[in-house]
Amino acid sequence: MHNRRFQQLFPFTPLLLLHLLLWQFFDASQQSLLPQGEGLYMERARLFLDQNEAWTPFAEAHHKTPGHYWIMALSMRLFGVSDIAARFTFVWLALLSAWLVYGIGFLILNRCAGAMASLILGTSYLWAVHSRTISPNMAYISFFLGGSCCFCKSW
């Protein structure tokens, strides 16, 4: 009986990682907009809001696709222009990636393997820190894992 209840909780293991991701999330002294050009990414996302232009708010050609900026601009439109609002969607994308890792493990092996893979991902220091940064990487990882999960379902 106890084992059955534990197995029913497996699909929710990525949500168990939420506290790891939000650890020191609201502590401004622990985060700055300096690493990896976060301030630049946030400034560019604000251009989408300020100019109300979804495709070409830049004066000259730009080297990145606008998808990453759309995610941040939408979050800043919903929650206000702040670094927490810009980072918030990436925390949700990190949870989505943990859920997708669970789904891939479940499809390839079993529920236990999927849950363990998701929990192992959650204990990775780099994943936890990177999921709170403003960069296109977490969105890329989430979309890549989504495609991999769809591939595993069709396989």
Side-chain angles (χ1 to χ4, degrees), residues 11 19-20 58 76 79-80 89 95-96 100 103-104 110 112 134-135 142 147 150:
H19 70 281
L20 290 174
F58 308 111
M76 287 191 288
F79 304 115
T89 53
L95 284 174
L96 175 66
L100 288 168
I104 292 168
N110 57 34
C112 186
I134 299 171
S135 74
S142 298
C150 288

Side-chain angles (χ1 to χ4, degrees), residues 74-153:
L74 177 65
S75 179
M76 287 191 288
R77 180 164 287 169
L78 293 174
F79 304 115
V81 178
S82 68
D83 58 335
I84 290 176
R87 286 188 170 108
F88 189 68
T89 53
F90 297 104
V91 169
W92 285 109
L93 284 171
L95 284 174
L96 175 66
S97 69
W99 184 77
L100 288 168
V101 165
Y102 165 79
I104 292 168
F106 172 68
L107 290 170
I108 293 175
L109 297 171
N110 57 34
R111 284 185 176 204
C112 186
M116 290 301 131
S118 180
L119 288 173
I120 289 170
L121 176 67
T123 58
S124 168
Y125 175 75
L126 287 176
W127 178 79
V129 169
H130 214 300
S131 65
R132 293 188 303 255
T133 60
I134 299 171
S135 74
N137 297 337
M138 192 54 67
Y140 173 75
I141 289 168
S142 298
F143 289 123
F144 177 78
L145 287 171
S148 299
C149 190
C150 288
F151 175 73
C152 289
K153 277 187 176 183

